[in-house]
Amino acid sequence: MGTYLILVVLLSIYSSSFSEGCNRELLVNVDFPGTDITSLYSPDADHCQQLCTDHPSCLFFTFIRADWTRDNRHFYCYLKNTASGQPNVRTQLLGVTSGFSLKPCSPQPQRCLSQVTPACRFFTFVNENYTLEKIRYKCHLKFSWTVPRTRVVATAGLVSGFAHKTLVTQHFNTACEGKLFPDTDIQGSSYETLTAASPGHCQTLCSDHPLCTYFTYVSNDFTCYLKKNPDEIVTKPKQGYTSGLPARFCQLDNEWLKEAHEGIDFPGSDIRYELMDDAETCQTTCTQDANCQFYTYVTKNFHSSVHWRRCYLKRAITIPAPSKVTKLANAVSGFSLKNVQSALPSTSHIV
């Protein structure tokens, strides 16, 4: 296979990778038209490539750069997929850059976005030349999830769970002493509602979000209420509710990752499925797969025998992902360097 790939590279610079090969090349002014899965905002082609790598089914992408002139689209990252793993068409097009997912690369590249506070994932700084004087010199610290989020649905015959590897990017030497408060509701002050598989999962989501001061988890519908009120906590006994505090500058217990949730589905976010005999093997496969974050296994109690023994390996995007990217004079934006282990030249994106 190695020799075959080398021959392919020699034959064509644009055919340097198959779906099972590693291709890091960015193709400037080359478009992969069609076959879009979704589009996201991205500041540059490198970040777009990392988004594609993080997305469960993206195999290649096309990024629309700042010098694009055909319409008002800029900083669009189009994630794409085909059954063959290769673009159906490649065309020359000014203002775009295309490339491939780095999922096949081993080891995968360090998740460093070289272009603060523990919760800060990226930022925008307004310099001295900005038109509105009162916001000059302000540095806006911004948040993006690092913990995988998934829908949680009760479904008979399914078993779901997480890879038994740490899914949280921050690590501390001191273990957290906090505990969960069963059959307790903390009333009011909710600012975001998510779904979670367990109280421990909900606590990890709360710990990841910089605004969360405490949380309440409702077991019968898997609802995780993130709450913000630094001044007071009003508790009330309530069966089926679990409340708690986030971890701040200490290491959370990751025992929640080891739970297998019977009768639970994590729908969507599939990388692929494989056939295997039990949920334990499915979990082990997910843990050993560098791309897998969570899984759903179909037992023989599921209503459709066509799906029996399928182990669905899954992941969600957890790299910093701005909700929008726009051009703005006299503002500079970039990413946290907290995951950079070696000194790198500092580069920023002016938007």
Side-chain angles (χ1 to χ4, degrees), residues 106-248:
S106 181
Q108 286 193 5
Q110 187 181 10
R111 292 159 61 99
C112 165
L113 300 168
S114 55
Q115 331 238 328
V116 273
T117 68
C120 180
R121 318 295 188 222
F122 49 98
F123 67 90
T124 293
F125 174 72
V126 181
N127 68 24
E128 70 278 8
N129 297 317
Y130 193 71
T131 305
L132 195 61
E133 289 187 27
K134 66 180 182 180
I135 65 169
R136 289 176 183 172
Y137 303 104
K138 283 191 175 181
C139 179
H140 300 265
L141 305 184
K142 301 173 182 282
F143 167 77
S144 182
W145 290 101
T146 64
V147 176
R149 293 174 298 152
T150 178
R151 292 166 54 209
V152 182
V153 179
T155 309
L158 301 182
V159 179
S160 297
F162 294 88
H164 290 192
K165 50 181 179 278
T166 301
L167 302 179
V168 184
T169 58
Q170 297 184 48
H171 301 279
F172 301 94
N173 293 326
T174 304
C176 295
E177 297 181 3
K179 62 179 181 179
L180 301 175
F181 305 103
D183 295 324
T184 302
D185 179 24
I186 299 178
Q187 297 181 304
S189 304
S190 298
Y191 69 89
E192 186 160 355
T193 303
L194 305 167
T195 57
S198 66
H201 186 200
C202 185
Q203 184 179 40
T204 301
L205 291 169
C206 178
S207 301
D208 195 48
H209 201 291
L211 298 181
C212 188
T213 54
Y214 44 83
F215 68 91
T216 294
Y217 177 74
V218 184
S219 58
N220 65 353
D221 62 4
F222 314 109
T223 303
C224 175
Y225 293 99
L226 304 187
K227 299 169 180 279
K228 179 189 177 184
N229 188 340
D231 299 320
E232 64 177 4
I233 298 178
V234 180
T235 63
K236 178 181 179 180
K238 199 162 188 178
Q239 188 172 5
Y241 285 52
T242 301
S243 297
L245 304 176
R248 295 287 187 253

Side-chain angles (χ1 to χ4, degrees), residues 5 16-26 49-50 52-54 58-59 61 99-111 288-291 315:
L5 286 175
S16 60
S17 175
F18 285 83
S19 59
E20 66 268 25
C22 174
N23 186 353
R24 302 174 186 270
E25 183 180 14
L26 295 177
Q49 186 173 49
Q50 292 202 42
C52 181
T53 301
D54 232 25
C58 180
L59 297 178
F61 66 90
F100 294 86
S101 165
L102 302 180
K103 292 182 186 72
C105 300
S106 181
Q108 286 193 5
Q110 187 181 10
R111 292 159 61 99
Q288 293 175 348
D289 189 307
N291 294 307
R315 74 169 293 117

Side-chain angles (χ1 to χ4, degrees), residues 237-259:
K238 199 162 188 178
Q239 188 172 5
Y241 285 52
T242 301
S243 297
L245 304 176
R248 295 287 187 253
F249 305 104
C250 60
Q251 190 63 44
L252 266 177
D253 186 351
N254 286 316
E255 285 300 310
W256 66 271
L257 290 172
K258 300 178 182 179
E259 297 180 44

